[in-house]
Amino acid sequence: MKLYDAGRAPNPRRVRIFLAEKGIEVPLVPIDLGRLEHKAPAFIAVNPLKRTPALELDDGTVLTESIAICRYFEELHPEPPLFGTGPLECAMVEMWQRRIEFGLLGTVAAVFRHLHPAMAEMEVPQVAAWGETNKPKVLEFLHFLDRHLADRTFVCGDTFSVADITGLVAIDFMKPARLAVPDDLSNVKRWHADISARPSARA
Ligand SMILES: N[C@@H](CCC(=O)N[C@@H](CS)C(=O)NCC(=O)O)C(=O)O
């Protein structure tokens, strides 16, 4: 199998962090988004949607969508569980993963994609007003998350999960999007510092 990766881009990084937490090594195929390699015929043959990451299995099957790829590895290598254990915890992880993916990663991505000059060739058309519209949405979600983290180590309690991975990547993606976590959100800052200190965060 091989994982089509894209350097600093947030979604491939989610998968790399997930793999690092599991201690799984998968050969990486670097795709240079800046050079629009993902829009070249060779990669379109892998993922016609022209997005990374993509996991190609030995029989040629291709999985895309970061969370689908992570779920595949969770089934292959259940330890440590990163999607929760038991009906309630699994549902909580799913709920928070989706909340953070849509409420934070998605809104930060909208700011980056629609306002950053480097995205002009990739996000066509760039709609600056949509980027600006998402800035307060990012802040609103961060305040919500800060209240939630007041009495929790990780997003879903005492156990690190894929919801924390999506959160880490989303917060780190704020830097290129030229956004910052407000200083008074001390719970988000403490949680982000803790999960950034895990070896997997270097992936
Ligand atoms: N929902 C997809 C999103 C994939 C995605 O948007 N990947 C970005 C990199 S973070 C990409 O390949 N962008 C290329 C482009 O927008 O043209 C996932 O979770 O994997």
Side-chain angles (χ1 to χ4, degrees):
M1 84 175 54
K2 52 190 173 190
L3 180 66
Y4 292 87
D5 184 36
R8 286 177 296 168
N11 284 294
R13 183 170 176 234
R14 287 204 280 173
V15 175
R16 292 199 310 273
I17 294 174
F18 190 92
L19 293 172
E21 287 283 340
K22 294 268 185 191
I24 303 169
E25 286 190 18
V26 176
L28 301 180
V29 181
I31 299 295
D32 189 333
L33 300 184
R35 290 170 174 261
L36 302 181
E37 275 179 18
H38 61 301
K39 300 197 181 200
F43 186 72
I44 292 175
V46 176
N47 182 9
L49 292 176
K50 305 173 204 160
R51 295 286 174 123
T52 55
L55 180 73
E56 187 174 326
L57 307 185
D58 292 343
D59 71 355
T61 304
V62 174
L63 283 174
T64 67
E65 295 302 323
S66 306
I67 292 302
I69 294 170
C70 291
R71 278 197 179 278
Y72 178 68
F73 286 114
E74 178 88 352
E75 294 298 320
L76 287 179
H77 302 272
E79 295 298 328
L82 294 175
F83 280 90
T85 49
L88 182 59
E89 195 182 281
C90 287
M92 293 295 273
V93 171
E94 181 84 31
M95 177 177 84
W96 277 101
Q97 199 297 123
R98 288 175 71 86
R99 279 179 165 180
I100 295 173
E101 188 172 54
F102 290 114
L104 192 59
L105 183 56
T107 51
V108 173
V111 173
F112 179 73
R113 298 181 70 96
H114 287 277
L115 288 173
H116 201 292
M119 289 303 289
E121 271 187 289
M122 242 183 277
E123 190 64 46
V124 182
Q126 267 189 319
V127 182
W130 180 237
E132 293 294 343
T133 298
N134 274 276
K135 287 184 178 176
K137 293 177 192 286
V138 171
L139 285 180
E140 192 185 341
F141 192 89
L142 285 173
H143 278 88
F144 165 66
L145 187 60
D146 195 73
R147 290 190 295 276
H148 175 72
L149 287 168
D151 52 3
R152 289 172 184 84
T153 306
F154 300 111
V155 167
C156 292
D158 294 333
T159 312
F160 182 85
S161 74
V162 70
D164 296 289
I165 295 177
T166 299
L168 169 66
V169 164
I171 300 263
D172 289 348
F173 194 32
M174 288 176 67
K175 191 172 175 191
R178 300 168 179 167
L179 297 165
V181 177
D183 284 339
D184 59 325
L185 298 188
S186 55
N187 301 312
V188 168
K189 284 187 172 280
R190 181 263 309 155
W191 160 78
H192 179 252
D194 286 353
I195 56 179
S196 298
R198 298 170 78 89
S200 64
R202 292 197 290 274

